[in-house]
Amino acid sequence: MNIYIGNLSYSVKESDLKEVMEDYGTVDSVKLIIDRDTRRSKGFAFVEMPNDQEAKNAINELNGAEYQGRQMVLKEATPKESAPRRSY
C-alpha cells in the first residue's frame, strides 16, 4: 500500500520516516518530496508498505500523532489523476 504522510516538519529526513514506519512493519520505500527550486522538503512524503494490514495499522496509529512538533496526516495515497492535455 502506498501511504501519503503530510504536515511534516521541513527537517524530517527519509531515514527518519523509515524508522518510524518500520515500527509497524516492512517498508519497501520512502520518498520525501523536495522542491526543485529551493531543494527543501515540501512537508510531505510517500511510503510504500507491501503488507496492507501493517500499512492500515500504521495509518490508524499515526494519523494525528505528533512528530517533531507537528501533527502528521496519514492516509492511503490515491493515484495522481493526469491533467487533460490542452490543444491550441
Side-chain angles (χ1 to χ4, degrees):
M1 177 184 292
N2 196 13
I3 303 169
Y4 165 85
I5 305 177
N7 199 36
L8 294 171
S9 166
Y10 296 125
S11 63
V12 171
K13 297 187 179 7
E14 286 181 354
S15 58
D16 299 332
L17 282 178
K18 184 171 184 179
E19 192 174 304
V20 168
M21 297 303 288
E22 282 178 336
D23 286 346
Y24 297 90
T26 304
V27 174
D28 277 348
S29 66
V30 176
K31 180 65 179 157
L32 187 65
I33 307 305
I34 304 294
D35 184 283
R36 275 184 269 189
D37 297 328
T38 65
R39 306 298 302 157
R40 192 173 105 173
S41 165
K42 287 190 170 186
F44 67 97
F46 295 94
V47 174
E48 185 71 41
M49 295 181 76
N51 183 303
D52 285 355
Q53 191 55 53
E54 291 174 351
K56 287 176 185 174
N57 288 342
I59 291 169
N60 290 336
E61 290 291 322
L62 294 174
N63 188 41
E66 188 173 313
Y67 183 65
Q68 293 193 9
R70 303 192 66 165
Q71 276 192 316
M72 293 189 294
V73 174
L74 278 82
K75 58 186 174 183
E76 184 174 352
T78 54
K80 183 178 179 181
E81 303 223 0
S82 56
R85 299 206 182 260
R86 293 183 186 182
S87 58
Y88 291 96

